[in-house]
Amino acid sequence: SNLLTGVVPDSLNGFANITLDLTGNMISWFPGEFCDNSDWMEGAVADFGCDGIMCRPGTASPIGRAADDSTACVECDKERAAGYFGSSSCEASLTEREILVNLFYATGGRTWHRNDFWGSTADICDWYGVGCIGGHVAIINLRGNNLQGTPGPDLFYLPELRTLWLYSNPIKFSFENIGSAKKLQDLRLDSTHVHTLNGIRAATSLISFDAGFSNIRGPFPQDEILPLSNLRILHLNNNQLSGTLPSSFAQMEYLVQLRLDSNKLSGKLPA
């Protein structure tokens, strides 16, 4: 319970057995690989997975993590509650400025090509790549700006976020908590290190999604894409998708632009 901020370094993953108490801080991300260390946290990771280290954003526990059944992490029902990993209560938290500052540190903001005004006392609407509507962040356009690392799930707590362009950056990306961005319509992650679309199904407001030229492999992710019933534009070209498209793909009635070229798909486009 200090004021530590940002991400937990993945170099800690080298420890075979560790008790890592970082709860009650302002941690925006920690590597998912930690959750495979079953001996960590006196065995709590074996029993509760990631929650044995810290409760994920949007959940809380009296001690900020799950140590036994009585301290299991529970979902918060308040808007924008428990915005950090390791929260011990479901009180609403995180200003838009704090969310942007977390993004800055999680993606190596000091080495971005441009970071004009980021982290300063200037109005956040004047920060490079940020666009606002009514004083609230509506657009983040940081394409090709040398972002690295993994943006934290608190990014999706921006209440008016409509456009998120992070393409052409060597970042990883997690769709955890994307369902909180209820106005997000345009998401571009092409030419990044995205390797899975797990969790994107919750982004039901999306109209345009681009993850071309990335590292997505395996069968077409129908369980994640088909629930996005409002999609008009879908680009998943230049990945490593294989197999055939499911017949249920035809249910995407609003889709007007589709790119699946340069994959390993076969068969016909369902009609």
Side-chain angles (χ1 to χ4, degrees), residues 1-233:
S1 297
N2 291 291
L3 291 175
L4 299 177
T5 62
V7 301
V8 182
D10 56 13
S11 57
L12 292 175
N13 199 42
F15 290 93
N17 189 345
I18 190 174
T19 298
L20 183 66
D21 190 357
L22 293 174
T23 58
N25 284 288
M26 300 170 68
I27 303 298
S28 58
W29 186 253
F30 73 89
E33 292 86 354
F34 287 7
C35 309
D36 297 327
N37 296 312
S38 58
D39 290 334
W40 278 27
M41 311 301 286
E42 299 180 343
V45 174
D47 295 330
F48 299 99
C50 295
D51 285 354
I53 302 173
M54 286 185 285
C55 295
R56 64 192 183 281
T59 68
S61 156
I63 61 172
R65 59 185 176 87
D68 52 42
D69 290 340
S70 67
T71 57
C73 302
V74 297
E75 297 286 339
C76 298
D77 57 7
K78 295 181 180 179
E79 190 73 18
R80 300 175 63 221
Y84 297 105
F85 282 91
S87 294
S88 57
S89 75
C90 282
E91 293 303 312
S93 58
L94 289 180
T95 65
E96 293 184 50
R97 178 180 293 272
E98 290 172 331
I99 292 171
L100 293 182
V101 168
N102 285 344
L103 173 64
F104 180 81
Y105 285 110
T107 57
R110 298 191 185 282
T111 59
W112 292 357
H113 295 317
R114 291 192 61 179
N115 55 15
D116 311 24
F117 300 117
W118 278 78
S120 73
T121 57
D123 191 308
I124 58 174
C125 301
D126 294 328
W127 294 9
Y128 174 78
V130 176
C132 293
I133 296 177
H136 295 285
V137 177
I139 299 170
I140 297 177
N141 179 359
L142 293 171
R143 67 186 188 275
N145 201 37
N146 197 39
L147 277 69
Q148 302 181 47
T150 305
D154 56 356
L155 183 61
F156 299 121
Y157 283 126
L158 292 168
E160 298 296 327
L161 185 63
R162 291 163 167 77
T163 298
L164 179 60
W165 286 4
L166 299 178
Y167 66 91
S168 297
N169 285 294
I171 58 169
K172 298 180 181 179
F173 199 84
S174 170
F175 298 97
E176 180 183 350
N177 195 43
I178 196 171
S180 295
K182 300 186 183 304
K183 297 184 179 181
L184 183 61
Q185 298 181 345
D186 188 357
L187 177 59
R188 287 197 58 177
L189 297 172
D190 42 311
S191 298
T192 65
H193 293 165
V194 171
H195 69 279
T196 176
L197 299 184
N198 289 348
I200 197 175
R201 62 180 295 146
T204 54
S205 59
L206 274 182
I207 293 175
S208 177
F209 176 57
D210 190 337
F213 296 94
S214 297
N215 297 313
I216 304 168
R217 298 174 179 269
F220 181 82
Q222 58 177 317
D223 291 343
E224 298 296 337
I225 294 297
L226 296 186
L228 306 180
S229 58
N230 290 311
L231 274 183
R232 271 71 165 173
I233 299 171

